Amino acid sequence: MTAADAVSRAAPAPAGGDRRRSGYLRYGLGRIGGAVVSLLAVLVTGFFLFRLIPGDPVKTMTGGRPVSAEQLAAYREEFGLDLPLWEQFTDYCGKALTGDLGTSYQFRAPVTEKLGEALGPTLLLTVTAFVLHTALGVLLGTRSAWHHGRTADRLHTGLALTLYSLPSFWLGLLLIVVLSVGVGPVPGLFPTGGMESGAEEGFAHVLDVAHHLVLPVVTLVAVEYGQTLLVTRSALLDEMGSDYLTTARAKGLRDDLVRRRHAVPNALLPTVTLIFVNLGRTVAGVVLVETVFSWPGLGGLFYQALSVPDLPLLQGLFLFFAAAVIILNTVADLLYPLLDPRVGR
């Protein structure tokens, strides 16, 4: 027997924990690598996509005023629109990779600055709606599954499917007509748009913002909670026939304890992944809702940028929304193996 054989026989086998850690490391690096590739693809797609929009941004910015050819040429040179497309592309990618998303045509300000200004209202709307529709979906999905086949289950499931299929902008317009403008004897109870009236300060200002927040949040919650409800219900129904639940009941545990301590924690594994995916979808889907309710966030900024078209601002917003979805999906992929060790082996 050679010395190498002796060393190989004497070396201990890698522990199970080490194998799991190395397997998770390979799994995580693969997911992160895929996310980086997706972000680069978004960077390239965003540049060419918005150049397909008809219209001349320079002529739009002049507001229809008579402008000489020399002035138009000066504007194009100022914004780099006189350069060949390939040179614009390489310049855009080089700056974007360093965090410079360019200068907005219409606001004459850095795109990152405009994104920062509009991010707060969007986060307020998105996080509020996300927390509410997640809690509502999990609660109603759990109750529907535990009492499946009953009238309440059919009502919850039917309503969730109906609302989930509605376009968010259409539902928002309907809520404005009914609850803001008023229909017949129903008075207008909420503002038609905006984030604040602008006259209040202190706690009165908080109440004013909350008053303006109601209809946009209701719109997002109504459209988004259905998917969480359906996934939670389906996962819990799969768990309800498991042997460990029968054993728990045989030990004398109350039905409520069996549901809360045993069935629901295991059934929530796919729902946890969906929660992160839905957060990304909520951020990306807020564009239409903010536009309908004139909410001064990233969605309203996107609508303003489309009207020019403001190419640097559109590219920056597109990159932000796509990055939010990609990053949150990646976080969900990285968390799932920690909750269920069978994933990522």
Side-chain angles (χ1 to χ4, degrees):
M1 180 175 63
T2 65
D5 293 334
V7 171
S8 64
R9 291 187 179 184
D18 292 337
R19 286 196 299 269
R20 283 194 296 271
R21 281 192 292 271
S22 62
Y24 179 76
L25 182 61
R26 289 193 300 271
Y27 171 84
L29 289 175
R31 291 297 183 273
I32 293 172
V36 171
V37 172
S38 298
L39 286 172
L40 292 175
V42 167
L43 191 67
V44 175
T45 303
F47 177 84
F48 292 103
L49 176 65
F50 296 111
R51 277 160 177 77
L52 299 176
I53 300 174
D56 187 343
V58 173
K59 290 183 178 179
T60 304
M61 284 187 290
T62 61
R65 300 187 307 271
V67 179
S68 67
E70 291 77 11
Q71 289 175 309
L72 290 175
Y75 276 125
R76 290 193 173 90
E77 183 179 357
E78 178 185 353
F79 295 115
L81 295 173
D82 60 328
L83 300 174
L85 188 61
W86 68 267
E87 192 170 342
Q88 295 182 42
F89 174 68
T90 55
D91 182 60
Y92 160 71
C93 289
K95 289 182 177 179
L97 292 176
T98 62
D100 182 1
L101 299 178
T103 302
S104 168
Y105 294 165
Q106 57 183 323
F107 297 107
R108 304 296 180 91
V111 170
T112 51
E113 179 182 314
K114 298 305 296 181
L115 294 181
E117 291 174 359
L119 183 59
T122 292
L123 287 179
L124 175 63
L125 174 58
T126 301
V127 172
T128 303
F130 170 75
V131 170
L132 292 176
H133 77 64
T134 299
L136 187 65
V138 171
L139 176 62
L140 295 181
T142 300
R143 292 188 175 278
S144 293
W146 208 254
H147 304 290
H148 67 282
R150 299 183 184 178
T151 302
D153 173 37
R154 290 195 293 269
L155 287 175
H156 288 320
T157 305
L159 182 62
L161 286 170
T162 301
L163 292 175
Y164 184 60
S165 64
L166 292 178
S168 57
F169 72 90
W170 183 86
L171 181 59
L173 290 172
L174 184 63
L175 291 176
I176 288 176
V177 170
V178 175
L179 297 177
S180 293
V181 179
V183 175
V186 179
L189 301 175
F190 299 97
T192 56
M195 183 177 173
E196 56 188 359
S197 301
E200 291 82 2
E201 295 181 358
F203 185 66
H205 175 71
V206 174
L207 292 178
D208 182 39
V209 172
H211 192 213
H212 285 76
L213 191 64
V214 171
L215 291 187
V217 166
V218 168
T219 302
L220 283 173
V221 170
V223 173
E224 295 291 344
Y225 92 97
Q227 187 178 18
T228 305
L229 182 151
L230 295 173
V231 170
T232 303
R233 179 181 182 275
S234 176
L236 188 53
L237 285 175
D238 290 340
E239 291 291 329
M240 285 174 60
S242 301
D243 293 337
Y244 71 90
L245 295 184
T246 304
T247 303
R249 292 190 184 95
K251 290 181 178 180
L253 291 179
R254 298 196 312 273
D255 200 53
D256 182 58
L257 288 177
V258 172
R259 180 177 74 245
R260 288 190 290 108
R261 292 184 180 178
H262 299 281
V264 172
N266 288 314
L268 284 181
L269 288 175
T271 306
V272 169
T273 304
L274 180 65
I275 285 172
F276 283 91
V277 175
N278 274 349
L279 180 55
R281 288 180 63 251
T282 303
V283 172
V286 81
V287 174
L288 292 176
V289 174
E290 286 191 356
T291 303
V292 169
F293 290 98
S294 302
W295 190 262
L298 295 172
L301 194 62
F302 193 88
Y303 179 76
Q304 293 179 52
L306 274 175
S307 63
V308 174
D310 190 337
L311 298 178
L313 189 53
L314 285 172
Q315 290 163 180
L317 287 163
F318 180 74
L319 181 62
F320 175 84
F321 287 127
V325 175
I326 292 170
I327 291 172
L328 289 169
N329 284 359
T330 304
V331 170
D333 287 339
L334 295 177
L335 281 179
Y336 202 79
L338 301 178
L339 301 173
D340 188 349
R342 296 171 296 179
V343 179
R345 287 183 177 180

